[in-house]
């Protein structure tokens, strides 16, 4: 997988950017590197990219703004944010605008590589999974769409993956710690807050079928009833 993967890395600290770039290249990744958000957007639009690693605080265009614009072009490409920020609102914002993972500085290269590989694996699963029935809804996982009576609702990348795992274990408890580590990369307070937000969004999108419910099994996780 690694030798076929092109990573767009945007990091304004040149020394750190070069270290990350060289470390990833020694592991077989192709890395397209730049040091500001405007250039990153140009590079994203000009060539095939498999995954994005974006610093949050960058000149000309910050990582969050960049991610929002990229999501208008591509709602499924994996995005990892690199940041020194650790406040709850910053972490939640990163996930809510379509980020898939959030790595706080300083970090180890091994941790970054593991997270990159995990996101690429999820993307492969997404591309190879067919439509799934969820009550009166049809869930098209590859296209990230919920369909009911010809009405389509577009899901975000994270909503689609969370619903996919709920469906796989429908009528059973989806362990909270497991799914946090699987989709968020850790089970800390910030990730748990973010997951709660996405569960609420999914409930609203499934509200038209009264027989479909996502229960909060306190202390354990969530259960999709359908």
């Amino acid at each position: 997988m690694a030798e076929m993967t092109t990573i767009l890395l945007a990091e304004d600290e040149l020394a750190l950017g070069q270290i990350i770039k060289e470390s990833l290249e020694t592991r077989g990744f192709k890395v397209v590197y730049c040091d500001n958000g405007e250039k990153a957007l140009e590079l994203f639009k000009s060539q095939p990219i498999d995954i994005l690693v974006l610093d949050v605080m960058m000149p000309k265009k910050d990582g969050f703004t960049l991610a929002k614009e990229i999501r208008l072009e591509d709602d499924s490409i994996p995005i990892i944010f690199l940041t020194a920020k650790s406040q709850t609102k910053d972490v939640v914002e990163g996930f809510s605008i379509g980020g898939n993972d959030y790595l706080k500085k300083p970090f180890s290269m091994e941790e970054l590589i593991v997270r990159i590989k995990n996101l690429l694996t999820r993307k492969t699963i997404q591309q190879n999974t067919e439509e799934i029935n969820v009550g009166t809804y049809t869930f098209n996982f590859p296209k990230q769409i919920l369909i009911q009576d010809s009405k389509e609702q577009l899901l975000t990348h994270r909503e689609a993956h969370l619903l996919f795992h709920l469906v796989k274990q429908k009528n059973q408890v989806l362990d909270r710690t497991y799914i946090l580590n699987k989709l968020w990369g850790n089970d800390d307070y910030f990730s748990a807050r973010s997951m709660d937000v996405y569960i609420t969004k999914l409930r609203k999108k499934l509200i038209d079928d009264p027989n479909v419910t996502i229960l909060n099994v306190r202390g354990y996780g969530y259960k999709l009833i359908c």
Side-chain angles (χ1 to χ4, degrees), residues 134-149:
V134 183
T136 57
Y137 294 90
T138 298
F139 173 34
N140 189 314
F141 182 42
K143 294 183 179 179
Q144 300 178 186
I145 292 174
L146 265 180
I147 306 168
Q148 184 193 50
D149 299 327

Side-chain angles (χ1 to χ4, degrees), residues 81-87 91 102-108 111 115 186 188 190:
F81 289 119
L82 305 179
T83 182
K85 300 171 110 181
S86 60
Q87 293 186 15
V91 177
Y102 202 101
L103 200 53
K104 298 173 188 174
K105 300 176 182 177
F107 55 86
S108 73
E111 182 178 8
R115 291 178 184 236
N186 59 67
D188 64 15
F190 305 122

Side-chain angles (χ1 to χ4, degrees), residues 38-106:
E38 282 188 1
K39 184 62 177 177
L41 187 60
E42 291 176 12
L43 291 170
F44 173 76
K45 291 182 176 181
S46 68
Q47 60 192 289
I49 299 294
D50 297 302
I51 187 167
L52 299 151
V53 178
L54 308 178
D55 183 31
V56 172
M57 300 299 293
M58 291 189 292
K60 299 186 179 179
K61 194 185 297 288
D62 67 82
F64 287 165
T65 300
L66 174 60
K68 289 177 184 177
E69 295 181 9
I70 285 173
R71 280 287 174 248
L72 296 175
E73 304 278 338
D74 188 325
D75 59 10
S76 65
I77 188 168
I79 299 175
I80 299 175
F81 289 119
L82 305 179
T83 182
K85 300 171 110 181
S86 60
Q87 293 186 15
T88 304
K89 65 181 182 63
D90 296 316
V91 177
V92 172
E93 181 183 359
F95 284 125
S96 67
I97 63 177
N100 303 99
D101 210 341
Y102 202 101
L103 200 53
K104 298 173 188 174
K105 300 176 182 177

Side-chain angles (χ1 to χ4, degrees), residues 95 100-101 118-119 122 141 158-169 173-188 191-192 194-196 198-199 202 214 220-223:
F95 284 125
N100 303 99
D101 210 341
N118 283 343
L119 287 176
R122 290 179 215 163
F141 182 42
R158 193 170 292 277
E159 286 172 344
H161 279 82
L162 183 53
L163 181 57
F164 174 73
H165 284 280
L166 285 164
V167 170
K168 281 204 306 182
Q169 290 188 225
V173 176
L174 178 62
D175 183 77
R176 186 178 183 85
T177 299
Y178 165 80
I179 198 61
L180 281 169
N181 282 303
K182 184 76 174 176
L183 298 187
W184 275 263
N186 59 67
D187 60 352
D188 64 15
S191 298
S194 176
M195 184 170 71
D196 290 339
Y198 279 93
I199 288 290
L202 285 176
I214 301 176
Y220 294 96
Y222 294 99
K223 180 191 288 188

